[in-house]
Amino acid sequence: MRHCGVYATFLRITESSRLWTFHELDGKPLFLAPSSKPRFRISWDGNGYQGEVSSEAAGIIATMFALSHLSFRFEDDRFSDGYLRLYEYAADHPEAGEIFQAID
């Protein structure tokens, strides 16, 4: 269910990608990232963000949006826990500034 939400969110913020990479941290799922090209233009009407980020950052952004949405829709701590784990990972990412601008 979660990967479908990430893909649907990704389609709302950028163009489609057919190839995806699943990232884990310490044996736990972390995020999905498109792997069809190295960079993606991101546009989010919800906050006016527009920018170009790496495929990894694009996947982090899409996964954070999807986890946030799912955590409010379903009362399941796995979604909010996953969001917090990814938020901490994103804070140390080289593109943290762009990631947080996009999700703000």
Side-chain angles (χ1 to χ4, degrees):
M1 174 169 66
R2 191 163 93 178
H3 68 281
C4 292
V6 173
Y7 185 71
T9 301
F10 193 77
L11 290 177
R12 291 182 63 198
I13 63 175
T14 193
E15 73 273 5
S16 177
S17 177
R18 293 181 186 253
L19 302 172
W20 291 78
T21 301
F22 186 77
H23 294 264
E24 293 182 346
L25 181 64
D26 298 329
K28 295 181 181 179
L30 193 60
F31 66 97
L32 289 169
S35 55
S36 58
K37 62 184 190 176
R39 300 196 60 80
F40 286 86
R41 294 246 355 118
I42 302 291
S43 178
W44 181 244
D45 292 336
N47 65 7
Y49 175 80
Q50 292 189 13
E52 184 177 297
V53 297
S54 68
S55 59
E56 185 172 282
I60 291 170
I61 292 165
T63 304
M64 290 183 83
F65 275 131
L67 287 171
S68 177
H69 173 76
L70 291 168
S71 72
F72 285 104
R73 186 165 182 203
F74 301 103
E75 292 186 24
D76 188 330
D77 289 342
R78 291 179 297 176
F79 298 122
S80 56
D81 291 348
Y83 181 91
L84 292 174
R85 191 169 56 252
L86 184 52
Y87 188 96
E88 290 174 0
Y89 177 85
D92 291 330
H93 193 275
E95 295 174 274
E98 290 293 318
I99 293 168
F100 291 123
Q101 285 181 45
I103 66 166
D104 187 21

